[in-house]
Amino acid sequence: MPLYEFKCRGCSERLEKLWKNFNPPDSIECTECGSEDTFRIVSRVAFKRDVVSKLDSLDPRYDKMVDNAIGNTQSADPYKYISKSIPLSAADTD
Ligand SMILES: [Zn+2]
């Protein structure tokens, strides 16, 4: 839900109003002096973000860190470990 800010021309009070959609009113009634002579401040709009948009805004370096960490695990490249093993017939069984 977007949060809109208004300012009262009468008393200069800043007002915040949660609005249920993205079409806020041009003015609201001032809670301080009751004046309807308020105007919307468009610079600050805050709204609750969902988890996906939070993930999208993560630092791209984080992805690289995760890739590097996974790349160093055994499950990332099992053949790397298999190639180091030797056939049983060649193993020193003494
Ligand atoms: Zn006012």
Side-chain angles (χ1 to χ4, degrees):
M1 216 162 22
L3 178 71
Y4 294 98
E5 273 193 293
F6 294 84
K7 190 161 184 171
C8 176
R9 285 195 178 93
C11 67
S12 298
E13 181 74 14
R14 287 173 83 97
L15 312 155
E16 290 185 336
K17 178 99 178 161
L18 270 174
W19 201 252
K20 52 194 167 294
N21 59 42
F22 286 93
N23 295 305
D26 290 330
S27 66
I28 59 171
E29 188 181 317
C30 177
T31 53
E32 277 299 301
C33 69
S35 169
E36 302 225 357
D37 192 9
T38 58
F39 60 97
R40 186 155 48 91
I41 305 170
V42 290
S43 57
R44 278 182 49 195
V45 175
F47 55 93
K48 227 178 150 177
R49 297 193 301 167
D50 59 36
V51 174
V52 174
S53 67
K54 279 182 185 166
L55 287 174
D56 283 345
S57 63
L58 278 177
D59 193 323
R61 285 177 298 180
Y62 178 75
D63 279 344
K64 192 132 181 114
M65 276 168 53
V66 171
D67 284 348
N68 288 340
I70 291 173
N72 290 330
T73 62
Q74 187 168 347
S75 59
D77 185 10
Y79 291 103
K80 186 170 142 192
Y81 294 89
I82 290 171
S83 66
K84 282 183 185 166
S85 61
I86 54 173
L88 189 59
S89 56
D92 184 2
T93 53
D94 287 343

